[in-house]
Amino acid sequence: MGRKRNRGLSPEEERKAIEQLVANSPGIELRGEAIRIDFMYQGKRCRETLKIPLTFANVEYAVNKRKSIQLEIRQGVFDYAVHFPKSARARNTKASRKISLRELYDRYWQIKSANVTEETERRYKVALEVCGEIVGWSVPVSTLMPEDVDRLRSSLISTRKPSTVNHYLATWNGMVEWGRANEYITRSLEAAFFKNQVEDPDPLSLDEFRQIIENGCLHPQDKALVTLAVYTGLRPGELCALAREDVSGNVLHVRRSVTAGKVLKVPKTGNDRKIWLVPPAQEAIRALLEMTKDAKPAEETVEISRHQSRKETITPLVTPLQARNKNISTNRMQVGSWATKWEKLLARAKVRRRVAYQTRHTYACWSLTAHGNIAFIAKQMGHKDYSMLVKVYGRWMDSESENEAEFIWQELQKNGAFCPTIAPSE
């Protein structure tokens, strides 16, 4: 900015001219080779150094800038960030809040990512990247309107299921709510969710389970894994993360899970739990223990949160025994490998396709139709309470109402209950 020196003046002459101009210009100071402006704002003395070369023209620029600032202060329209965007005093001014959607995302994510695991970060980033592309990353967030959010919703639902869209919108809402709380956004830009009919569980029937065991499973490990999954309700990640050290008699301790990114972490609720094994599950565990009797324990890291982890010395119970390339296989079966194997088992057994997670639903539905205590079932499955069972598996509970009434009466009779004969009144 400005010429390096006045034409016709030597460096010494220009220096003298600069010092003379500064001496006659209140509020303008020289700090070595830098120009500093001094002014009063909101009762406080402010000093700002200009990042420009020291020339006569730039000193004139500083003089005029200070006059402009003083005029704006008197008129009540001065915005610190307009004149000094990199100053610490400009941090929370109106102009400093005028950013693009991409800049909002960058600032939000720098904070948000510190509070989530890497797997959660991956899913959230995918959602926000999609939303940002639709709305437009270069759009100033201060200009966004509810119309833009409506357009986002319409675009998402045209190619995605309501459950997926609602996940994207929930992630979007988190970002714009943060933006509004920090005054980057001045209006509500939260998106309304779509009504999402929760898909009913699709459990295996006993006949389908038998077909998978007898016709789909060619290896003893396959039979053991299918049996264990169906009779414990383990999540696929929990199943693959099991260790020999987790077995204690007829109790299985669920202490960790493995993500799609092959990272060990604590279970979904953050707490360990015990599963009391029924005889088929006990037999499956015995078979898996025999298959891994020569496995060696190793120290591994289990993530608790983004900033906390623990070390465990464990021996994988579920290993890729049938891996084609032993040189590149890991020491435990991964979630993706189990999902692929599950699909092959169903195809071989000629059983209708379902995702591997349906083994968990199978355990819940079978247990409920067998009149199991819902609080016990919820605890076995790792739910915080039984409200999730009622919400997701209500149809199976309702279908057994008549049988449940008969079951209760039979149990009451064992304790001495009887049906009195009541004679009709005369």
Side-chain angles (χ1 to χ4, degrees), residues 131 137 256 372 392 406 418:
C131 293
W137 284 119
R256 70 198 73 80
V392 177
E406 181 63 28
F418 64 95

Side-chain angles (χ1 to χ4, degrees), residues 326-344:
K326 298 292 184 180
N327 294 325
I328 63 173
S329 65
T330 58
N331 63 343
R332 72 168 45 80
M333 184 177 292
Q334 301 301 328
V335 176
S337 300
W338 170 237
T340 301
K341 177 182 287 291
W342 171 255
E343 289 193 359
K344 291 180 179 178

Side-chain angles (χ1 to χ4, degrees), residues 344-361:
K344 291 180 179 178
L345 298 180
L346 295 186
R348 192 179 295 129
K350 297 182 180 180
V351 170
R352 181 168 50 80
R353 183 184 178 279
R354 298 168 174 83
V355 296
Y357 200 89
Q358 290 296 341
T359 58
R360 180 169 168 82
H361 293 320

Side-chain angles (χ1 to χ4, degrees), residues 99 103-105 107-109 111 173-185:
I99 60 175
E103 290 173 309
L104 177 70
Y105 166 78
R107 297 185 189 190
Y108 168 70
W109 197 249
I111 297 171
N173 287 349
M175 181 175 69
V176 296
E177 182 182 354
W178 181 87
R180 191 176 185 187
N182 287 279
E183 299 184 5
Y184 294 109
I185 298 172

